[in-house]
């Protein structure tokens, strides 16, 4: 039984070097073994091809032919064709240099972590670039980093966008001794991609800024929390805490409130993208306030490794003092009322005695 071949184009991987590009034409699953190839460029015959003898596997054969074409024709996206003739039926494969989309990553992000006392770690994520040729280099203060513990590059991930273009994403991870990650030190992820006219570059950096929860870097951000008034707490049974944030540099960031467990409180956040003074109010009930419940005003911005946090807590000492003052006032009021009542009683008795005395005198 005769079987026609299935024909597939084979193209050289990568750009290669030299003035010639090699193309291949693969025919599989055919029988009998007699097969011929014919190459052409834009309909004009090409004669300098090579045809290899078919190889049998099971009951069918596989054959291949290759040809070398001029790189300038290939780069100009000239059309090449391989036509296969076989007794059971013919086939063909068409060749055109794929159109390459050149683009730097749509996002290049660097993250830093210093959770380990002896190490500092950095991550660089490059998303949606093309073509897949790339290099990622790490720099410290614009210089090479000789003292690395390790550097890992993750395999490429690829996807197709809505236009069918293949886009690639990559990641690199760097770990250095903690002594390399000091105040105002800058680590940079340098991405090198391939452009139509040569290499293209894109950088993203992170700079160490020392912060601790509850402490603000006055050069960048100042946090002030104003508590509720006593009148609101005692009369309205609720009040408002206000977090006032002064941003001295034009940063992109966010202000939010967290509860005492570190969970973000719903509906209590605000974003900013410039310098200035920003306020974020938070309602607190009398029960929460009297129990000394904790709330944190949190400020995130692009130049900080960790968010700034400022604690708000109503101290119990203040409540005890307030209650003592309240009790003292009540006791004083009760004393005044007692004295007033005693005065009225004495006046009444004096008046009664005077009336009795007067009546007796008349009699």
């Amino acid at each position: 039984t005769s079987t026609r071949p299935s024909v597939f184009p084979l193209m050289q991987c990568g750009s290669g070097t030299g003035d010639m590009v090699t193309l291949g034409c693969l025919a599989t699953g055919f029988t009998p073994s007699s097969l011929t190839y014919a190459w052409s460029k834009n309909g004009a015959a090409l004669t300098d091809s090579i045809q290899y003898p078919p190889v049998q596997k099971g009951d069918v054969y596989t054959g291949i032919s290759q040809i070398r074409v001029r790189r300038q024709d290939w780069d100009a996206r000239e059309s090449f064709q391989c036509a296969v003739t076989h007794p059971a039926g013919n086939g063909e494969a068409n060749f055109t240099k794929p159109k390459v989309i050149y683009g730097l990553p749509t996002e290049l992000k660097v993250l830093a972590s210093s959770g380990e006392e002896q190490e500092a770690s950095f991550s660089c994520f490059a998303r949606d670039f093309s073509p897949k040729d790339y290099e990622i280099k790490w720099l410290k203060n614009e210089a090479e980093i000789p003292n690395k513990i390790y550097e890992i590059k993750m395999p490429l991930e690829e996807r197709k966008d809505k236009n069918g273009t293949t886009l690639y994403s990559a990641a690199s991870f760097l770990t250095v001794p903690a002594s390399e990650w000091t105040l105002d030190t800058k680590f940079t992820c340098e991405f090198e991609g391939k452009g139509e006219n040569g290499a293209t570059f894109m950088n993203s950096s992170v700079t160490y800024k020392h912060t601790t929860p509850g402490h603000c870097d006055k050069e960048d951000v100042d946090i002030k929390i104003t508590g509720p008034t006593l009148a609101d707490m005692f009369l309205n049974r609720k009040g408002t805490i206000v977090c006032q944030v002064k941003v001295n540099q034009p940063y992109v960031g966010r202000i939010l409130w967290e509860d005492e467990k570190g969970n973000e409180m719903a509906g209590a956040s605000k974003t900013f993208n410039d310098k200035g003074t920003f306020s974020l109010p938070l309602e607190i009930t009398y029960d929460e306030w009297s129990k000394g419940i904790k709330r944190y005003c949190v400020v995130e911005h692009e130049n900080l490794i960790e968010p700034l946090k400022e604690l708000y807590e109503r101290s119990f000492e203040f409540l005890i003092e307030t209650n003592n003052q309240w009790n003292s006032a009540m006791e004083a009021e009760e004393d005044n009322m007692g004295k007033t009542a005693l005065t009225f009683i004495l006046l009444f008795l004096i008046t009664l005695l005077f009336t009795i005395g007067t009546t007796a005198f008349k009699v």
Side-chain angles (χ1 to χ4, degrees):
T1 303
S2 298
T3 305
R4 64 178 295 177
S6 298
V7 183
F8 303 94
L10 301 176
M11 288 173 278
Q12 183 173 314
C13 295
S15 58
T17 58
D19 297 329
M20 306 297 288
V21 175
T22 300
L23 305 178
C25 189
L26 177 68
T28 64
F30 60 91
T31 185
S33 62
S34 58
L35 186 82
T36 58
Y37 294 87
W39 288 87
S40 62
K41 183 187 78 170
N42 297 329
L46 299 174
T47 59
D48 54 348
S49 63
I50 300 174
Q51 180 174 334
Y52 296 94
V55 176
Q56 184 175 9
K57 185 175 181 180
D59 297 330
V60 295
Y61 293 86
T62 298
I64 190 169
S65 174
Q66 72 176 44
I67 192 171
R68 288 167 58 82
V69 301
R70 296 191 308 168
R71 179 175 296 279
Q72 65 184 53
D73 293 338
W74 181 247
D75 290 342
R77 306 189 74 238
E78 300 279 3
S79 178
F80 297 87
Q81 185 183 66
C82 168
V84 176
T85 302
H86 186 267
N90 303 327
E92 66 179 29
N94 294 297
F95 300 78
T96 303
K97 182 179 180 179
K99 187 175 181 181
V100 179
I101 303 298
Y102 297 97
L104 286 169
T106 58
E107 181 182 28
L108 186 65
K109 180 182 291 186
V110 176
L111 302 175
S113 172
S114 56
E116 298 290 338
E117 293 184 0
Q118 303 299 323
E119 298 179 354
S121 300
F122 302 87
S123 307
C124 180
F125 300 94
R127 185 168 66 89
D128 290 351
F129 59 89
S130 180
K132 66 180 181 180
D133 306 287
Y134 81 100
E135 288 290 335
I136 287 180
K137 180 190 295 185
W138 287 96
L139 303 173
K140 175 188 172 184
N141 295 331
E142 312 302 333
E144 298 282 348
I145 306 173
N147 194 14
K148 300 177 184 178
I149 296 178
Y150 62 80
E151 180 179 353
I152 300 174
K153 292 183 180 179
M154 299 300 293
L156 282 170
E157 295 287 337
E158 63 179 74
R159 71 175 186 90
K160 290 189 180 295
D161 65 8
K162 61 182 180 181
N163 299 319
T165 302
T166 301
L167 300 175
Y168 301 89
S169 296
S172 177
F173 301 93
L174 172 71
T175 299
V176 299
S179 58
E180 296 286 328
W181 184 227
T182 55
L183 187 64
D184 293 328
T185 300
K186 182 171 72 172
F187 277 76
T188 300
C189 171
E190 181 183 79
F191 178 92
E192 179 183 348
K194 183 179 180 182
E196 191 168 3
N197 298 316
T200 56
F201 295 89
M202 184 176 182
N203 294 339
S204 182
S205 302
V206 61
T207 302
Y208 181 85
K209 294 290 184 181
H210 178 70
T211 60
T212 56
H215 173 75
C216 301
D217 185 349
K218 298 298 183 181
E219 295 181 357
D220 293 328
V221 177
D222 182 38
I223 304 176
K224 180 181 179 182
I225 296 180
T226 304
T229 65
L230 294 178
D232 283 340
M233 286 290 96
F234 288 111
L235 298 178
N236 301 326
R237 311 297 288 180
K238 64 180 181 180
T240 302
I241 312 170
V242 179
C243 180
Q244 183 172 294
V245 179
K246 184 179 180 182
V247 182
N248 299 316
Q249 299 294 332
Y251 294 122
V252 176
R254 189 166 71 109
I255 311 169
L256 61 124
W257 283 100
E258 288 182 354
D259 63 19
E260 52 193 357
K261 295 182 179 179
N263 299 317
E264 181 176 344
M265 304 185 71
S269 67
K270 175 184 288 188
T271 58
F272 60 88
N273 58 7
D274 202 350
K275 63 181 179 180
T277 301
F278 308 91
S279 297
L280 183 64
L282 178 70
E283 187 175 285
I284 186 170
T285 65
Y286 176 81
D287 289 338
E288 294 171 335
W289 180 79
S290 62
K291 293 175 183 176
I293 198 166
K294 298 178 181 179
R295 294 290 183 258
Y296 293 93
C297 178
V298 183
V299 180
E300 302 172 342
H301 69 73
E302 60 186 356
N303 204 36
L304 288 177
I305 303 302
E306 297 178 353
L308 295 176
K309 288 188 178 184
E310 186 77 7
L311 170 65
Y312 171 79
E313 181 181 18
R314 180 74 277 156
S315 65
F316 283 99
E317 289 79 4
F318 178 85
L319 289 176
I320 292 172
E321 182 181 349
T322 302
N323 287 334
N324 289 338
Q325 291 174 355
W326 178 269
N327 292 334
S328 297
M330 292 297 294
E331 291 173 359
E333 184 67 21
E334 290 174 357
D335 289 344
N336 290 335
M337 291 178 64
K339 292 177 181 178
T340 301
L342 181 60
T343 301
F344 274 108
I345 292 172
L346 290 174
L347 289 174
F348 173 75
L349 290 175
I350 292 171
T351 303
L352 180 61
L353 291 173
F354 179 77
T355 304
I356 294 174
T358 303
T359 303
F361 178 77
K362 287 179 179 182
V363 172

